[in-house]
Amino acid sequence: MSGTVFAAVLEGCGSSKVITGTFDHSNLAVPSNVFQENNGKFKKYVVVSHPQLKYPVCVYRFSDIEYSALLMRCTHQGAELQVFGDRLECPAHGSQFSDKGQVKNGPADTNLRTFPVTIQNNQLLISLK
Ligand code: FES
């Protein structure tokens, strides 16, 4: 019950982009409606966390059927990335990555780890295999 209250508080302060996924075999599952906003628009991304994940996964939505899921672990030295709109930035040494996980600025020189996303029964399944 307290979890529900917490979610409501987060929504109120505009930080509702971080959600907790559920595990379904080796998939991290989130309802596809988490991208929907009250005004009929869609969020550009959500950050999905789970107690079993060391790093959260940032999921970008490009269309109803097109998503990218990126591990928020910097490929330079492993710091957790932060999301700024359509890019991710590393607070440690400033590397930047695109919304598809490509390196835009070093010192990192490797793209982010990405996971395939499929849609089933109004759920996004992020394959962590
Ligand atoms: S750990 Fe991210 S830029 Fe160094």
Side-chain angles (χ1 to χ4, degrees):
M1 192 63 199
S2 63
T4 313
V5 173
F6 189 52
V9 170
L10 280 180
E11 224 139 52
C13 72
S15 300
S16 57
K17 284 180 173 173
V18 181
I19 59 159
T20 303
T22 51
F23 264 107
D24 172 16
H25 304 288
S26 58
N27 295 316
L28 184 62
V30 292
S32 50
N33 66 8
V34 295
F35 286 89
Q36 258 160 17
E37 294 188 327
N38 294 337
N39 55 10
K41 293 190 174 163
F42 291 92
K43 293 182 176 69
K44 201 181 275 187
Y45 68 89
V46 295
V47 173
V48 185
S49 65
H50 189 278
Q52 283 179 38
L53 291 177
K54 196 164 167 209
Y55 295 88
V57 175
C58 184
V59 184
Y60 280 98
R61 178 188 184 279
F62 302 104
S63 74
D64 272 358
I65 53 163
E66 208 192 341
Y67 298 86
S68 67
L70 315 170
L71 187 67
M72 292 175 68
R73 177 189 186 279
C74 184
T75 52
H76 178 228
Q77 288 180 0
E80 186 170 317
L81 301 172
Q82 295 170 344
V83 194
F84 296 94
D86 53 10
R87 68 181 202 282
L88 295 98
E89 275 189 26
C90 181
H93 315 103
S95 290
Q96 295 187 337
F97 303 88
S98 75
D99 53 11
K100 300 229 164 124
Q102 286 151 340
V103 182
K104 290 292 172 196
N105 265 311
D109 59 4
T110 309
N111 294 340
L112 296 181
R113 181 157 180 212
T114 62
F115 305 104
V117 179
T118 50
I119 305 162
Q120 248 177 47
N121 303 327
N122 297 321
Q123 294 242 312
L124 297 189
L125 300 178
I126 302 158
S127 174
L128 302 182
K129 260 187 251 172

